[in-house]
Amino acid sequence: MIKISDSIKYIGVNDYDIDLFESQYILENGMAYNSYLILDEKIAVCDGVDKIAVDRWLDNLEAALEGKAPDYLIVHHLEPDHSYSIDAFAKKYENARLVISMSAARMLPQFSDIDSSRVITVKENDTLELGEHTLTFLMAPMVHWPEVMVSYDSKDKVLFSADAFGKFGTTDADEGWSCEARRYYFNIVGKYGKQVQALLNKASKLDINTICPLHGPVLSDTIPEVVKLYDTWSKYEVEDRGVFIAAASIHGNTLEAAEKMKEILEAKGCPRVAMADLSREDIAECVEDGFRHSVLLCMASSYDAGVFAPMSDYLHHLEHKAFQNRTVALVENTSWAPSAIRTMKAEFEKMKDITILDKTVSIKTRLTDETVKELEELADEIIKNV
């Protein structure tokens, strides 16, 4: 059992069976639906869980209460994976009240049938006195829904951070924080960098010993490095100087060229080179890697007077997640009518602060000595921009 403090208990649920989060993000190590219980003169539950976990969550809550009854259910974020349990909670604990933001109150009928007389709405800097614990509420709109708020417990110096600082995977997954937190951030929260910066500014004024997110592990010793990464990510700054090669290959020739380009870049001393086959690898992880590196090299086949579909899909994901402030290099493969570079360039021109290298390479079906030479010349240009 995760211990937060003597009076704050973890009552969340790990789902080891789920394979897709939000029906789109691949999960190799399940998902955690975090919930916390504050035991004081008044008893507060911080957040509920998704529908698959409601019964286990209620069992955890009942065991932790040891015969007591909760006074409040605080829901920091109304997305169904945290709010589906509201009605079951309200039915079981008929005297408890629901605490939500004013924006959430307007959305609440979409998610719950709880009687409005049982709802308490809070705004920026409102407080909830529990006894020794006082919770201060801070609004965090668009991190990553408009009704999101966080709360700070001044006694134990705990920030209940909603979806911020969360990650894919269960709380006991045998893996580091940053990789799955990065994939989670850029695919779920990353479009809202300005709003994340606003939340970080509020959090910087607090003395925080523990961060309790709604997904992933409780954070304590690693808070400085976690906050630093969130600052980098939300400013759309480069985390690692290096190149991510995104390849979309029909018959394998473009993929062979991508592997050759990786070899060339490494031989020329590029500090970091990562590569993915867009046809086979997790698109969310490829989005993450695009944001992580200073240069994105897109290598794709021309297709139907455009670009091969896996690359088209990837560029759509990047644009949707506000990809920006990066250098891009382009390579196409074509048998008769080159169209991939033109199509990819047009997509990147829709994005913010993207530098597209003038040097491009057009491969005619297979690598030749001449096109390898061109790749080496492009690699020189790329390394200048790493």
Side-chain angles (χ1 to χ4, degrees):
M1 180 61 70
I2 300 169
K3 180 178 179 179
I4 314 301
S5 73
D6 290 339
S7 52
I8 302 178
K9 312 296 182 184
Y10 179 86
I11 56 169
V13 176
N14 284 323
D15 183 354
Y16 298 98
D17 298 321
I18 184 173
D19 62 341
L20 286 178
F21 184 69
E22 294 186 353
S23 298
Q24 59 180 319
Y25 300 114
I26 296 169
L27 298 175
E28 294 185 356
N29 291 310
M31 196 68 181
Y33 302 107
N34 294 342
S35 177
Y36 309 92
L37 176 66
I38 305 174
L39 295 166
D40 207 328
E41 294 172 23
K42 296 288 187 179
I43 297 174
V45 179
C46 291
D47 297 292
V49 295
D50 203 358
K51 59 183 176 181
I52 197 170
V54 172
D55 290 341
R56 284 176 285 167
W57 175 68
L58 289 174
D59 289 342
N60 291 348
L61 173 56
E62 185 174 8
L65 284 169
E66 296 181 338
K68 301 182 180 72
D71 297 280
Y72 305 107
L73 171 61
I74 301 165
V75 175
H76 293 92
H77 177 28
L78 267 183
E79 198 166 4
D81 54 327
H82 312 298
S83 68
Y84 193 90
S85 50
I86 290 175
D87 287 348
F89 175 92
K91 182 178 180 180
K92 184 168 185 175
Y93 301 105
E94 295 181 349
N95 294 320
R97 303 185 71 185
L98 178 67
V99 181
I100 54 177
S101 70
M102 296 178 72
S103 295
R106 291 190 287 271
M107 298 169 63
L108 184 61
Q110 300 171 218
F111 300 92
S112 170
D113 294 322
I114 190 171
D115 191 280
S116 60
S117 65
R118 298 177 63 180
V119 177
I120 299 172
T121 59
V122 293
K123 60 183 184 303
E124 186 78 11
N125 290 320
D126 278 356
T127 59
L128 183 65
E129 302 286 343
L130 302 178
E132 292 185 349
H133 296 263
T134 298
L135 293 177
T136 300
F137 297 98
L138 303 170
M139 301 302 109
M142 298 317 302
V143 186
H144 59 120
W145 275 26
E147 86 313 342
V148 174
M149 65 179 183
V150 303
S151 63
Y152 175 69
D153 169 38
S154 56
K155 179 181 184 296
D156 289 332
K157 300 179 180 179
V158 175
L159 179 69
F160 297 97
S161 64
D163 271 352
F165 306 110
K167 66 178 283 292
F168 296 123
T170 59
T171 56
D172 56 357
D174 185 17
E175 61 189 10
W177 181 85
S178 61
C179 183
E180 285 296 70
R182 185 187 300 106
R183 187 166 72 101
Y184 178 93
Y185 175 86
F186 282 116
N187 287 280
I188 292 180
V189 187
K191 185 176 181 178
Y192 306 105
K194 181 178 179 180
Q195 290 83 357
V196 173
Q197 278 289 304
L199 176 58
L200 289 176
N201 183 56
K202 293 178 183 182
S204 70
K205 299 176 175 61
L206 304 173
D207 183 12
I208 301 171
N209 287 339
T210 306
I211 296 177
C212 291
L214 289 179
H215 298 292
V218 172
L219 304 169
S220 54
D221 295 342
T222 59
I223 288 175
E225 62 186 81
V226 164
V227 170
K228 183 179 180 181
L229 281 172
Y230 252 63
D231 187 51
T232 297
W233 296 342
S234 58
K235 289 178 179 175
Y236 302 99
E237 294 177 345
V238 172
E239 182 182 348
D240 286 315
R241 311 306 303 186
V243 181
F244 176 55
I245 303 172
S249 183
I250 301 173
H251 296 292
N253 292 315
T254 306
L255 189 60
E256 180 184 351
E259 290 166 345
K260 182 63 177 179
M261 191 59 167
K262 184 175 186 291
E263 176 186 313
I264 292 170
L265 286 164
E266 289 173 339
K268 288 179 178 291
C270 187
R272 178 183 169 89
V273 186
M275 191 185 87
D277 179 353
L278 296 179
S279 296
R280 288 176 168 80
E281 299 190 35
D282 175 19
I283 194 72
E285 190 165 333
C286 295
V287 168
E288 166 203 344
D289 278 326
F291 276 97
R292 180 175 183 173
H293 297 83
S294 50
V295 177
L296 171 61
L297 170 56
C298 291
M299 304 181 67
S301 303
S302 297
Y303 190 79
D304 284 347
V307 67
F308 189 39
M311 179 62 74
S312 179
D313 184 42
Y314 181 53
L315 299 182
H316 170 75
H317 276 78
L318 289 178
E319 182 185 9
H320 186 69
K321 300 304 178 182
F323 186 70
Q324 59 188 271
N325 195 32
R326 295 294 185 275
T327 296
V328 169
L330 302 174
V331 174
E332 69 182 357
N333 194 342
T334 182
S335 295
W336 63 89
S339 57
I341 287 176
R342 180 184 71 245
T343 304
M344 291 188 288
K345 184 178 180 182
E347 291 302 311
F348 280 114
E349 286 174 344
K350 300 175 185 177
M351 304 179 205
K352 182 180 178 182
D353 296 330
I354 299 295
T355 300
I356 304 173
L357 295 184
D358 291 334
K359 173 65 179 176
T360 61
V361 177
S362 185
I363 299 167
K364 300 296 174 59
T365 306
R366 296 183 297 170
L367 279 179
T368 63
D369 291 343
E370 182 60 31
T371 50
V372 169
K373 182 180 177 181
E374 288 190 59
L375 290 178
E376 289 177 343
E377 292 170 355
L378 176 60
D380 290 333
E381 291 300 310
I382 288 173
I383 289 174
K384 290 177 186 177
N385 288 273
V386 166

